[in-house]
Amino acid sequence: MQTITSVAELRQVVGLARKAGKRVGLVPTMGYLHEGHLALAEASRKQCDVTVVSIFVNPTQFGANEDLSTYPRDFQRDERLCRDAGVAIVFAPDNKEVYPEGFETFVEPGELAKPLCGGFRPGHFRGVATVVCKLFNMVQPDAAFFGQKDFQQCAVVRRMTKDLNLPVEVVTLPTVREPDGLAMSSRNRYLNEQERQRAVAISRALLAAQDEFRSGSRDVRNLIAIAEKHLKPLDKLQYLELVDSETLEPAESPLKRSATLCVAAYIGSTRLIDNMTMDLPVSIGEGAG
Ligand code: AMP
């Protein structure tokens, strides 16, 4: 495994692989890797010949009062995990390599970046879209792997890739969870023991709503109310919304299209997000031809 910090060297190494006809997969991360990240690397390893994991805590996606300076980091451990996972290249540029002096051009996402996290984290998805676009241009991967855990991010990245004709296949993989259901996240590290126990309320709420959906409920208010009941142990609920999985607009009752229940909440000072998609069974005849 190679660790590369400069774009020039990355281009050279990946360029050689591409010339040799190899399929290149990219897994963009902010490091402090966990099994969620490793599942993405594993999928890339299966579908591609060369897997690049980027590790970069992207300053442009953090708001002024957010956790950029305290974001957990352990580069040596990340390298070890990548090596064990069969990753070929860890790309770990510093801030100056990604945003050299004079940098001033951003990718501005549209409507998909407005609801949910977009409403509470102004500029967040602009930073995400910009860095993902830059990483696509730096690595020039054939495919890039993202986690459903960041549902809105997936939607924004897919849209950007399509709108800007970026020649990258965007692959989304399911959320990897702790045994009790908590979605894995680098930010779980911030939780003390008591907070960690309370954090399970988030996935319980989503699962309860999904159970209700599977038992036949198609009523948006009912599904949200079921979830809400489970969220009492949290310190502050930022949003709990059932949205259309494609447009991210509020879902309408009775549900007729795939909808995703999304939540953002604080436990102490830690902000966690999670979501669960409620897919309607495909009716006979649908999708035929
Ligand atoms: P991050 O390092 O948090 O920016 O995440 C990097 C990538 O890993 C993103 O595509 C995330 O959606 C994905 N990811 C983070 N947590 C999980 C998880 N629990 N399961 C699956 N993918 C995840």
Side-chain angles (χ1 to χ4, degrees):
M1 189 184 80
Q2 266 179 288
T3 295
I4 296 177
T5 56
S6 85
V7 177
E9 190 186 351
L10 178 76
R11 280 254 167 82
Q12 202 181 12
V13 173
V14 176
L16 282 175
R18 289 175 66 85
K19 266 207 195 109
K22 299 209 190 295
R23 183 173 159 83
V24 179
L26 168 67
V27 179
T29 83
M30 299 206 298
Y32 209 74
L33 303 181
H34 52 66
E35 283 170 46
H37 299 116
L38 297 177
L40 304 183
E42 174 68 13
S44 172
R45 217 175 47 83
K46 283 200 180 130
Q47 295 178 34
C48 302
D49 305 301
V50 173
T51 291
V52 181
V53 170
S54 63
I55 297 181
F56 178 62
V57 183
N58 174 37
T60 62
Q61 71 187 67
F62 286 80
N65 301 316
E66 294 184 353
D67 57 343
L68 174 61
S69 62
T70 55
Y71 196 83
R73 295 161 210 245
D74 188 342
F75 187 64
Q76 281 178 3
R77 179 172 169 274
D78 288 349
E79 273 188 314
R80 205 169 55 240
L81 289 170
C82 285
R83 188 173 295 118
D84 293 348
V87 170
I89 298 167
V90 168
F91 177 51
D94 65 12
N95 284 350
K96 277 210 215 96
E97 189 68 9
V98 180
Y99 299 110
E101 183 121 350
F103 178 90
E104 62 170 13
T105 307
F106 288 82
V107 177
E108 190 70 61
E111 294 302 312
L112 288 173
K114 288 184 182 157
L116 307 171
C117 288
F120 294 95
R121 304 186 70 188
H124 170 67
F125 289 113
R126 177 190 200 237
V128 168
T130 301
V131 82
V132 171
C133 183
K134 283 172 70 71
L135 286 166
F136 282 6
N137 286 326
M138 291 169 177
V139 179
Q140 300 189 311
D142 297 283
F145 298 80
F146 296 85
Q148 162 87 12
K149 154 88 177 10
D150 296 279
F151 166 72
Q152 189 173 15
Q153 171 169 285
C154 290
V156 168
V157 166
R158 267 181 199 285
R159 186 79 244 173
M160 172 194 72
T161 306
K162 197 169 177 202
D163 288 351
L164 301 184
N165 304 93
L166 305 179
V168 181
E169 183 194 340
V170 174
V171 182
T172 302
L173 287 141
T175 302
V176 177
R177 298 178 179 281
E178 299 285 354
D180 68 357
L182 177 67
M184 290 199 183
S185 164
S186 307
R187 290 189 169 99
N188 292 348
R189 157 81 202 252
Y190 296 142
L191 304 170
N192 65 32
E193 211 172 302
Q194 188 259 14
E195 290 171 336
R196 170 64 187 81
Q197 277 171 19
R198 286 192 287 135
V200 74
I202 298 174
S203 55
R204 287 218 178 114
L206 296 173
L207 282 167
Q210 195 177 54
D211 275 353
E212 181 77 1
F213 172 81
R214 286 187 175 151
S215 323
S217 173
R218 298 290 180 264
D219 185 76
V220 173
R221 275 166 61 181
N222 176 47
L223 292 166
I224 290 177
I226 299 277
E228 206 163 12
K229 271 196 246 164
H230 291 263
L231 293 174
K232 302 259 151 64
L234 306 179
D235 294 312
K236 193 175 119 194
L237 181 60
Q238 196 170 57
Y239 64 74
L240 173 65
E241 283 183 55
L242 188 58
V243 299
D244 184 287
S245 300
E246 294 279 319
T247 64
L248 272 51
E249 285 169 9
E252 284 174 21
S253 300
L255 292 179
K256 291 207 179 89
R257 293 156 51 88
S258 169
T260 300
L261 186 57
C262 302
V263 56
Y266 280 91
I267 303 176
S269 56
T270 303
R271 181 180 180 275
L272 298 178
I273 59 169
D274 199 354
N275 68 86
M276 220 164 264
T277 293
M278 322 222 162
D279 273 321
L280 293 153
V282 179
S283 59
I284 296 163
E286 204 177 310

